[in-house]
Amino acid sequence: MKKHSFLFLTFAFISLLTFTACDDNEDSNPIPSDDEYNFFVALSLPGIDSYPFHLLKGVETGSASITGAQEIPGIPYNVPITSHDGYVFLNSDDKLSKYEVGENGILIDRGSLPNLGISGGPVYEFISDSRMLISSGPRATSDGVFQYQIINTESMTQVSTGSITLPTDSNSKSIPSAYILKEGKIYVPYIHSDEKYVAYNEAPVAIFNASDLTYEKTIYTDKTASLAYSVVSSHGFSENGDLYITSCNSDYWGANESLPSGIVRINAGSSDFDDSYFFNLTEALDGNHTGGMLYVGNNKAIVQVFRSDLITAYGDYQGGFVIEYHLVDLLTKSTSKLDIPLSRYPRRAMALTAGGKAVIMANTQTDGNAFHIYDPASNSTSKGLTYEGAEFMSAFFPITD
């Protein structure tokens, strides 16, 4: 395996929104049939400085190994963005590229265009079926100004470019966490912090008109800090259109653990926080903080949890086996731990299948690297495909049709 051939910036921020919105609110992330390649998996072998990827036909059963992995020659630095209409989108040091999945699971280049940079945590959203809004440049600024591109993903051409401005203060930082399409508006939760990246005692969401990206207003909650994060699934829409966003309020994300991690709600038809609703996850989870959430339907979600009693150094957040997964009921605010061993590497770890099952990528010490499947219909968790030969899996997403 050739060194430096497919580096995913494993130790930088990697983005992914599991819930992109190709209609006005959400995308169910449909999965093709079992005879097609269904999942894109990024792999990490830092011991030999190799970071390949693997396309898989399914992750619910079986096994796979690094011998089937591949690399993109000539492009040493790539960040996986998403898939759409059967294509995979990757961001490299100077361009955003579109790839078709070939018959043998090999990516075929189908066009690219200059990007805004190689930020490990690009934020993006589909504002229509063939229009992607994306910011791939610097992750944090002191003036709150962030450049964006609107890309025609069919022709891979730039439709327009511009900038948005997030409200900020002097001697502070702003970091956009997500672009979320809701009822003709783009919601931008962002981390507002001091110069040392410690979040202030509030969580803002800036709101822009989706048609022209003009600024409308910013809403705030003082119940938590650091809503959402670009490298994990961290928001979702309920069946009636309510938007739930979790705070990734752990010290790993440069947050503020004096406030609890929790889930807030913006109701369908509203552009303000529902002040009557806050799910205090830290209180419900024995003082621990969260790293992300995946909405799985019927007012249920899976939350990623950092075990604070196992964290003794900053590196433990990423490299230690400190992560649990819990099922939560957003209405009753009850929680139950899923039967998944402690795992490491918190990024890009959760996604939904078309059948409504949740897939969780777990790099465990006791049970190897494998995918785990939560079935809401039976309220059960099972071990799926086992991956061998990689030190850990660093990212995955469904290849949506």
Side-chain angles (χ1 to χ4, degrees):
M1 198 172 301
K2 194 163 65 175
K3 296 168 71 172
H4 300 293
S5 295
F6 195 75
L7 178 59
F8 282 102
L9 298 185
T10 306
F11 299 107
F13 294 109
I14 304 177
S15 78
L16 175 52
L17 275 280
T18 301
F19 285 85
T20 60
C22 299
D23 55 21
D24 197 39
N25 273 340
E26 60 180 319
D27 177 9
S28 60
N29 280 334
I31 303 298
S33 60
D34 288 341
D35 61 348
E36 298 176 354
Y37 289 91
N38 297 345
F39 283 89
F40 177 101
V41 185
L43 305 162
S44 292
L45 295 85
I48 59 172
D49 199 12
S50 180
Y51 303 88
F53 66 91
H54 203 154
L55 299 181
L56 301 173
K57 290 187 175 182
V59 294
E60 293 193 28
T61 61
S63 63
S65 76
I66 197 71
T67 59
Q70 57 188 279
E71 299 167 336
I72 295 180
I75 306 179
Y77 304 108
N78 289 270
V79 174
I81 302 297
T82 189
S83 70
H84 185 63
D85 287 340
Y87 295 95
V88 170
F89 294 87
L90 304 177
N91 197 53
S92 61
D93 54 354
D94 59 0
K95 63 183 180 180
L96 175 70
S97 299
K98 170 183 174 181
Y99 293 91
E100 181 182 358
V101 180
E103 292 182 359
N104 297 319
I106 304 297
L107 293 183
I108 303 169
D109 191 339
R110 293 304 186 201
S112 61
L113 76 167
N115 61 13
L116 299 174
I118 187 65
S119 165
V123 288
Y124 75 95
E125 178 65 291
F126 278 92
I127 56 178
S128 73
D129 192 56
S130 61
R131 296 289 191 274
M132 178 197 290
L133 167 68
I134 184 168
S135 293
S136 59
R139 284 205 40 78
T141 68
S142 298
D143 58 8
V145 178
F146 293 88
Q147 303 298 313
Y148 68 80
Q149 296 172 290
I150 296 178
I151 307 299
N152 183 321
T153 54
E154 291 182 351
S155 61
M156 285 304 288
T157 55
Q158 180 174 282
V159 177
S160 62
T161 187
S163 65
I164 62 169
T165 300
L166 304 178
T168 189
D169 302 314
S170 59
N171 301 317
S172 66
K173 300 286 186 180
S174 295
I175 306 172
S177 300
Y179 289 154
I180 304 170
L181 179 65
K182 178 182 184 292
E183 299 167 337
K185 314 291 184 184
I186 296 294
Y187 288 67
V188 188
Y190 64 99
I191 298 174
H192 189 203
S193 73
D194 62 23
E195 291 183 306
K196 295 182 179 179
Y197 296 98
V198 177
Y200 296 129
N201 293 333
E202 62 183 8
V205 176
I207 302 175
F208 299 82
N209 188 296
S211 63
D212 57 10
L213 275 297
T214 56
Y215 173 76
E216 295 193 352
K217 66 178 182 178
T218 299
I219 58 177
Y220 298 87
T221 177
D222 59 4
K223 294 179 172 66
T224 187
S226 302
L227 287 175
Y229 208 79
S230 66
V231 300
V232 294
S233 172
S234 52
H235 73 275
F237 287 92
S238 67
E239 288 79 355
N240 69 350
D242 293 341
L243 171 61
Y244 289 92
I245 311 174
T246 190
S247 56
C248 301
N249 198 28
S250 75
D251 285 339
Y252 179 45
W253 304 128
N256 179 352
E257 290 193 357
S258 68
L259 294 178
S261 291
I263 298 174
V264 299
R265 182 170 68 195
I266 302 173
N267 293 324
S270 174
S271 59
D272 294 298
F273 288 116
D274 180 352
D275 288 334
S276 69
Y277 182 88
F278 179 65
F279 189 168
N280 188 325
L281 290 171
T282 296
E283 181 179 63
L285 299 169
D286 299 322
N288 294 312
H289 286 269
T290 54
M293 73 166 242
L294 175 70
Y295 185 78
V296 298
N298 195 29
N299 298 305
K300 304 291 196 307
I302 294 172
V303 295
Q304 184 186 70
V305 180
F306 290 113
R307 281 274 302 274
S308 59
D309 60 313
L310 300 177
I311 297 171
T312 60
Y314 179 79
D316 292 338
Y317 282 103
Q318 178 167 286
F321 297 97
V322 300
I323 297 171
E324 294 180 340
Y325 291 91
H326 292 247
L327 180 72
V328 302
D329 188 308
L330 296 168
L331 297 186
T332 66
K333 299 181 181 177
S334 59
T335 69
S336 59
K337 182 181 177 300
L338 296 183
D339 186 19
I340 299 173
L342 286 168
S343 65
R344 62 174 173 166
Y345 207 85
R347 305 172 186 180
R348 297 259 189 137
M350 300 181 287
L352 282 179
T353 69
K357 295 180 181 179
V359 180
I360 299 167
M361 179 186 73
N363 302 295
T364 76
Q365 186 175 32
T366 60
D367 207 22
N369 300 334
F371 293 92
H372 291 254
I373 315 300
Y374 172 74
D375 186 352
S378 61
N379 191 30
S380 62
T381 306
S382 59
K383 185 178 179 180
L385 180 139
T386 299
Y387 202 93
E388 300 174 349
E391 293 182 46
F392 58 92
M393 300 179 289
S394 57
F396 88 100
F397 53 69
I399 301 173
T400 60
D401 201 358

